Amino acid sequence: MEWTGAKYADKPTVEVEAWVDADPKQVWSIVSDVRLMPEMSQEVRSVEWCDGAAGEATVGRRFVGRSKHDSFGEWETTSYVVECEAPRVFAWAVQDPETPTAVWRFTLESENGGTKLRQWMQMGPGRSGLSLAIDQMPDKEQKIVFVRLREFENAMTGTLAAIKERAEAGGA
């Protein structure tokens, strides 16, 4: 990732992609099952649907995620599914669907007998734990944002690798 000089209010984004040797429906079964997130993320510790039911993801469903980061500590967020078009797009907004602290999205497209899988995220515009760090060091905002985007890029690359491994092994 190259230096962008972005500020939090710019709603900076990062995106990674991978090719998966599996049908989009197989990949979809993994990316849309939020309960699998902790197995594919260094930060996410647990995820559960708010209604307690397993079932399929649908627009409007909510889930609670618990995360941990060495610099930010532990926290819990509620996310709202804002896009869900099987087997193409799965996205959620964190905390408030109108003014989210972040938006995360997986997109899948059939390519060369497999799936081109992308993961994208946007910071803000709602305030987050990162906002608190920026409040404490406003002169370092651009660096704080850049470092966090780079962390996300590395973590997302790892997540896609885990999804690829799982899908290619044939498991959900």
Side-chain angles (χ1 to χ4, degrees):
M1 166 171 277
E2 293 184 29
W3 173 259
T4 62
K7 294 187 174 193
Y8 191 82
D10 297 331
K11 299 190 290 188
T13 64
V14 64
E15 182 175 46
V16 298
E17 71 176 57
W19 184 81
V20 182
D21 189 11
D23 181 84
K25 289 179 183 175
Q26 175 67 25
V27 179
W28 174 262
S29 70
I30 298 167
V31 301
S32 65
D33 187 347
V34 298
R35 297 164 306 150
L36 297 176
M37 288 182 195
E39 297 174 29
M40 299 179 284
S41 169
Q42 297 277 327
E43 270 184 40
V44 179
R45 298 296 185 228
S46 68
V47 178
E48 58 193 46
W49 290 109
C50 289
D51 57 16
E56 291 186 19
T58 56
V59 171
R61 271 193 96 180
R62 298 176 302 126
F63 59 90
V64 174
R66 290 168 192 83
S67 301
K68 183 179 180 181
H69 185 281
D70 290 342
S71 298
F72 301 115
E74 296 183 30
W75 66 95
E76 179 179 293
T77 58
T78 300
S79 293
Y80 299 78
V81 177
V82 293
E83 286 182 83
C84 189
E85 300 171 29
R88 293 182 43 250
V89 180
F90 180 59
W92 63 95
V94 181
Q95 293 297 85
D96 177 353
E98 300 301 317
T99 312
T101 60
V103 178
W104 294 82
R105 178 180 298 119
F106 285 105
T107 57
L108 300 79
E109 67 185 82
S110 185
E111 181 180 88
N112 298 325
T115 304
K116 181 190 283 186
L117 175 62
R118 291 186 185 97
Q119 186 177 19
W120 173 92
M121 74 82 55
Q122 170 191 288
M123 289 183 183
R127 288 181 57 80
S128 69
L130 199 62
S131 302
L132 301 175
I134 292 167
D135 289 347
Q136 293 173 355
M137 298 175 282
D139 57 316
K140 296 183 177 173
E141 178 177 4
Q142 291 169 306
K143 183 175 183 181
I144 292 167
V145 167
F146 177 73
V147 167
R148 190 63 171 141
L149 283 175
R150 198 170 51 205
E151 285 179 345
F152 283 139
E153 181 181 48
N154 290 335
M156 292 160 61
T157 298
T159 297
L160 292 194
I163 293 168
K164 176 179 174 69
E165 181 179 342
R166 186 178 204 122
E168 291 176 355

